[in-house]
Amino acid sequence: MAIKRASQSGGGKSKGVGSRVLASIFVFFLTFLVFSFLFVGRGLSSPPLPVDFLKWLLAKKNRHRESIGHNELSILSSRQDLDWRGRLALHHLNSLFSKDVEDNSIFFETPAKLARRVSPWTGSCLLSLFIVLENHLILSLKTTEEKRLEKRAADMLKQDDEVTVKLENAAIERSKSVDSAVLGKYSIWRRDIDSENTDSTIRLIRDQMIMARVYTSLARMKNKTDLVNELQNRLKESQRSLGDANTDSDLHHSASEKIKLMGQVLSKAKEELYNCNLVTGKLRAMLQSADEQVRSLKKQSTFLSQLAAKTIPNGLHCLAMRLTIDYYLLPPEKRKFPRSENLGNPNLYHYALFSDNVLAASVVVNSAIMNAKDPGKHVFHLVTDKLNFGAMNMWFLLNPPGKATIHVENVDEFKWLNSSYCPVLRQLESAAMKEYYFKAAHPTTLSAGSSNLKYRNPKYLSMLNHLRFYLPQVYPKLDKILFLDDDIVVQKDLTGLWSVDLHGKVNGAVETCGESFHRFDKYLNFSNPHISKNFDPNACGWAYGMNMFDLMEWKKKDITGIYHKWQNMNEDRVLWKLGTLPPGLITFYGLTHPLEKSWHVLGLGYNPSIDKTDIENAAVVHYNGNMKPWLELAMTKYKPYWTKYVKYDHPYVRNCKLSE
């Protein structure tokens, strides 16, 4: 209609306008066709008549707004921000119409005026184009918002990961600062006697008592005698109320009243005495004092755990005495073990076990035999001391290891093992060593802590502990032998160890350098030039307790001679302290082949956080540390791996009151 009216108004000017309008319509029609082809798959409904166009569009927009929830407000705001883009596009569309239309945008007029200004066909085209534009705009906004939300979620996850990594790294750094000597404290890891408390009421009472002590000190400084007396009285009441309670349920019913009264006194003291600097200073002094007490208690705890570790329990002492008596009552012909011809057969699987603990040795042998595929091919060589020789023989005579072979020897009968041949024996007999061990000048009290007691453990005085450096001399007919400590438990068949290629090395062992304190500089004195010139301080340590020794290579490389050389150099203990691991690290330096870690899992005698899967998958588990499984201070969660191989129903064990 608008086009027709314009053509009737006459003149050349109308022709120019008409041709311009026709050209505009042609361009618009092509644009519409392009948009139609592009969006034909969007499932658009048929457009309404041009007269009802704005009404329909307004209703459509209202329905769309009603469907938007509170969580989509950000999309609406984004649409408002982009409104200027739409207006700019609509301004260009106005050029498709007459000058009247150009002067007055059709999108801001009433439906009646719009109907008069545009033809039905043009209105339909305009409506279709507007729908396409609006749908495209909505889809674009939704896509933008979804991408923004996805990016925000990814950023949050990244931040969470970074925070987790930081926390893990901080925990690792804190764990490195823990003194490994006190990891096995008796009162820390036993849950059944754990006195740590997290109940809120008890914590509140303790906090009140701390602040009461602070204000008491400040009141004394300012000569407020009445307030001092009042605070002290409330402290005594709180202490009586707390008593030996470990949980809120243990508290007396009057505890809440005592808390209220203490709170009133503390409020009064705060009004009269509070000074931020003074209170901070008092709390800092109390913290330092408590820290000193904790350090002292740690030393005492370590001392007591080491004392308990080297003390023979009554049950074990009883067992050894009863077995010894009965052994020497046996006639000589009944004291012999069968299958003695297997002792020198190099084609069988030979074990070396040096122990003075009958019960512990029985667990090693029992667990190895019970998990062996062919027990008849296994030979156990036990060496003990004179005191336990009869008990060790008697136990295995009463409890023969099935088809396996067993032999018990007395270390005191090895005549070749004397002070003229063995440097350790010569050093143990020296006046300096006796002075170090037995003179009163070296304190062994609780206040002295653990440092002095640790290196005066009787095991360092026993040749059973040093006999591991003389395996070819003890077993001259054997080619290979598996050395086992008496605080281990065998959980799988070990025959595969004899087929491990040691690549010309003498010792096959599991490395322990996963922790910094298991490297060479932990055990050796690198300030001494003999050590610093010959060894790497960061070299990997390895574990005694389950070691495959190639005795043929041992003899070729004169391992015992190397050991003697370094032992002579350490007569005054300047290279390392006492023990067998430091000289072992030196003697087998560069001669140790690392075994797969699942063969040997350590730490059950001091580390409470070993992964359960690692323990159950291990061929051998080792209770190295003070918390041995036969002692009361053993960690409860690790003890079952050991006790299941103890014959608690045996008459000797039962009569000596040994129980799980």
Side-chain angles (χ1 to χ4, degrees), residues 44-110:
L44 299 174
S45 58
S46 300
L49 292 174
V51 178
D52 300 325
F53 159 65
L54 287 179
K55 291 183 180 180
W56 172 83
L57 182 60
L58 181 61
K60 182 176 183 298
K61 287 186 176 182
N62 288 336
R63 286 195 303 272
H64 181 65
R65 285 194 182 95
E66 291 172 359
S67 67
I68 297 175
H70 294 291
N71 60 336
E72 295 179 336
L73 291 177
S74 59
I75 299 178
L76 290 176
S77 63
S78 300
R79 292 184 62 183
Q80 290 173 0
D81 294 337
L82 294 175
D83 208 32
W84 66 274
R85 300 176 186 270
R87 291 180 182 179
L88 182 63
L90 295 176
H91 175 74
H92 290 295
L93 287 175
N94 287 338
S95 63
L96 296 173
F97 305 100
S98 66
K99 190 173 185 308
D100 291 335
V101 176
E102 192 174 277
D103 294 337
N104 301 286
S105 178
I106 63 173
F107 296 99
F108 301 99
E109 293 192 350
T110 62

Side-chain angles (χ1 to χ4, degrees), residues 181 298-311 433 436-461 577-579 626 633:
K298 281 183 177 180
K299 290 182 179 180
Q300 294 179 20
S301 176
T302 306
F303 177 93
L304 292 172
S305 66
Q306 291 177 354
L307 187 64
K310 73 173 189 175
T311 303
M433 189 66 72
Y436 179 79
Y437 268 94
F438 302 113
K439 292 297 181 181
H442 301 283
T444 56
T445 60
L446 287 176
S447 60
S450 61
S451 58
N452 291 297
L453 179 68
K454 179 178 181 180
Y455 296 108
R456 286 195 293 279
N457 193 312
K459 72 178 182 179
Y460 297 132
L461 299 174
K577 298 293 186 180
L578 296 178
N626 287 330
L633 54 77

Side-chain angles (χ1 to χ4, degrees), residues 201 205 208 237-238 241-242 248 251-261:
T201 305
I205 294 174
Q208 285 185 332
E237 290 181 2
S238 294
S241 176
L242 185 62
D248 286 351
L251 293 171
H252 192 266
H253 59 82
S254 62
S256 57
E257 183 64 23
K258 299 292 190 301
I259 292 173
K260 182 178 178 182
L261 294 173

Side-chain angles (χ1 to χ4, degrees), residues 466-494:
H466 298 272
L467 194 61
R468 64 192 69 189
F469 293 103
Y470 300 95
L471 289 172
Q473 288 83 354
V474 181
Y475 310 110
K477 296 181 180 180
L478 302 181
D479 298 334
K480 278 188 175 183
I481 196 164
L482 183 65
F483 172 81
L484 298 177
D485 267 343
D486 63 357
D487 55 352
I488 64 102
V489 174
V490 180
Q491 300 187 130
K492 295 184 179 180
D493 180 49
L494 300 180

Side-chain angles (χ1 to χ4, degrees), residues 383-386 389 409-415 417 462-464 467:
V383 181
T384 187
D385 55 20
K386 184 188 301 183
F389 178 73
E409 294 181 273
N410 181 2
V411 68
D412 296 305
E413 294 180 356
F414 295 161
K415 301 304 179 182
L417 195 63
S462 172
M463 275 309 299
L464 286 176
L467 194 61

Side-chain angles (χ1 to χ4, degrees), residues 3-11 14:
I3 296 172
K4 184 177 180 181
R5 194 165 56 246
S7 64
Q8 290 176 352
S9 60
S14 64

